[in-house]
């Protein structure tokens, strides 16, 4: 009986701990802003346009959601995309990936696979070499979250 | 573990001068995000590939910084403008500072 009691207490404590972790481990739109602010060095607020964010509307498996980000740019020495930042507002951490380019890339289009814990918004910000910023965002519905457990 | 980690590349072997070609890469890596628990309920420490650097003939092309939200066995694809024959070199680095490289030659016809 004593053994039973300890087990129950332990599982109860674990359950409480899990709830606390789950509550703390959550990015928010503010988390996305902070993550971007720590990295993006361009001027002013990002404008809509130039950035295309392609991803499935509904992701059945949040473990690997394919995403394509492309930015309109001639990618010449004079005018090129310096960086693309991608963040998510419903994951334990806001950051997803940062790409830094030189004009040698020839085309500012990248693909990757992301993990999404739940239905959330994906945000991409492009920083041009003249410091101007462009952004796009997209909601992805997730059926099964991809953050282990 | 690190013996299982292999980078893979899909790169065209030839290109026209000035052509922009697509490069596809994949590295087999578990990308432990530091959220997962093992069978004993302990958190598995974070261990992810956090960087992929790409150069062509030793000139930088791009630098990707990966976060925990990148899926296991990270597949990354991007483009390269080929002005001359040369060697594309990629280097991945993980949280333990282990690194893996892969190279591929492109011939300008």
């Amino acid at each position: 009986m004593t053994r039973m009691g300890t087990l129950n207490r332990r599982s109860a404590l674990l359950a409480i701990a899990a709830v606390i972790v789950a509550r703390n481990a959550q990015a928010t739109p503010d988390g996305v802003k902070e993550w971007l602010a720590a990295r993006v060095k361009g001027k002013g607020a990002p404008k809509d346009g130039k950035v295309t964010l392609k991803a499935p509307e509904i992701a059945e498996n949040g473990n690997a959601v394919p995403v394509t980000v492309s930015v309109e740019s001639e990618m010449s020495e004079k005018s090129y995309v310096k960086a693309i930042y991608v963040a998510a507002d419903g994951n334990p951490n806001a950051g997803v990936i940062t790409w830094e380019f030189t004009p040698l890339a020839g085309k500012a289009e990248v693909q990757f696979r992301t993990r999404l814990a739940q239905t959330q918004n994906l945000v991409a910000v492009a920083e041009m070499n003249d410091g101007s910023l462009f952004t796009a965002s997209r909601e992805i519905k997730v059926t099964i979250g991809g953050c282990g457990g | 573990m690190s013996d299982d980690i292999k980078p893979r590349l899909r790169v065209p072997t030839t290109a026209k001068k000035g052509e922009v070609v697509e490069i596809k890469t994949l590295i087999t890596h578990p990308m432990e995000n530091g959220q997962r628990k093992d069978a004993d309920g302990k958190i598995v420490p974070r261990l992810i590939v956090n960087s992929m650097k790409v150069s062509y003939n030793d000139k930088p092309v791009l630098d990707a910084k990966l976060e925990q939200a990148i899926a296991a066995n990270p597949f990354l694809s991007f483009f390269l403008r080929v002005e001359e024959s040369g060697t594309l070199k990629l280097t991945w680095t993980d949280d333990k500072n282990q690194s893996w490289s892969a190279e591929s030659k492109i011939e300008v016809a």
Side-chain angles (χ1 to χ4, degrees):
Chain A
M1 274 317 270
T2 346
R3 192 175 150 70
M4 198 61 184
T6 357
L7 268 182
N8 281 341
R9 191 162 57 198
R10 186 193 289 166
S11 39
L13 278 173
L14 273 175
I16 294 167
V19 168
I20 294 170
V21 166
R23 194 183 294 161
N24 287 347
Q26 204 61 259
T28 55
D30 284 344
V32 169
K33 270 185 207 152
E34 276 167 35
W35 187 83
L36 289 169
R39 286 160 184 82
V40 182
K41 288 168 204 80
K43 296 176 277 194
K47 283 174 287 197
D48 284 340
K50 292 206 183 191
V51 183
T52 310
L53 191 58
K54 263 184 251 166
E57 203 175 313
I58 298 171
E60 278 185 18
N61 180 359
N63 268 315
V65 183
V67 179
T68 305
V69 184
S70 58
V71 185
E72 279 171 44
S73 165
E74 57 185 55
M75 292 303 272
S76 65
E77 290 291 337
K78 270 192 203 152
S79 167
Y80 64 95
V81 179
K82 238 176 117 180
I84 296 174
Y85 306 87
V86 184
D89 69 1
N91 272 352
N93 298 286
V96 175
I97 193 167
T98 304
W99 298 81
E100 289 170 0
F101 303 92
T102 71
L104 255 186
K107 188 173 171 185
E109 181 177 319
V110 294
Q111 273 182 63
F112 55 89
R113 290 179 190 144
T114 184
R115 285 176 176 144
L116 298 175
Q118 56 177 339
T119 296
Q120 58 187 295
N121 291 304
L122 208 58
V123 181
V125 173
E127 183 181 334
M128 313 306 242
N129 64 321
D130 64 1
S132 57
L133 300 172
F134 295 92
T135 187
S137 71
R138 197 186 158 91
E139 190 194 44
I140 302 172
K141 292 190 169 63
V142 177
T143 321
I144 303 168
C147 266
Chain B
M1 260 317 262
S2 58
D3 295 339
D4 306 335
I5 295 174
K6 282 194 190 73
R8 280 179 222 157
L9 286 184
R10 188 176 291 169
V11 181
T13 50
T14 59
K16 291 186 205 106
K17 189 177 155 52
E19 193 179 340
V20 175
V21 297
E22 188 175 22
I23 314 287
K24 293 183 173 174
T25 76
L26 188 142
I27 183 162
T28 51
H29 192 285
M31 298 291 278
E32 278 301 343
N33 57 15
Q35 306 283 335
R36 210 170 60 88
K37 296 198 184 83
D38 64 15
D40 301 328
K42 291 198 199 96
I43 292 211
V44 183
R46 174 185 140 148
L47 178 58
I48 65 165
V49 170
N50 56 41
S51 150
M52 181 184 79
K53 287 181 195 298
V54 184
S55 67
Y56 189 64
N57 285 345
D58 295 327
K59 285 178 273 189
V61 176
L62 68 83
D63 194 344
K65 293 187 182 77
L66 289 68
E67 310 275 347
Q68 294 101 305
I70 294 298
N73 304 327
F75 160 84
L76 302 175
S77 94
F78 54 90
F79 288 85
L80 168 74
R81 179 180 284 131
V82 184
E83 294 289 353
E84 55 186 358
S85 298
T87 307
L88 181 77
K89 189 179 176 191
L90 294 96
T91 308
W92 293 260
T93 310
D94 77 1
D95 288 340
K96 284 188 178 162
N97 235 355
Q98 310 176 88
S99 71
W100 300 270
S101 294
E103 287 186 7
S104 186
K105 283 193 163 53
I106 303 176
E107 199 74 40
V108 168

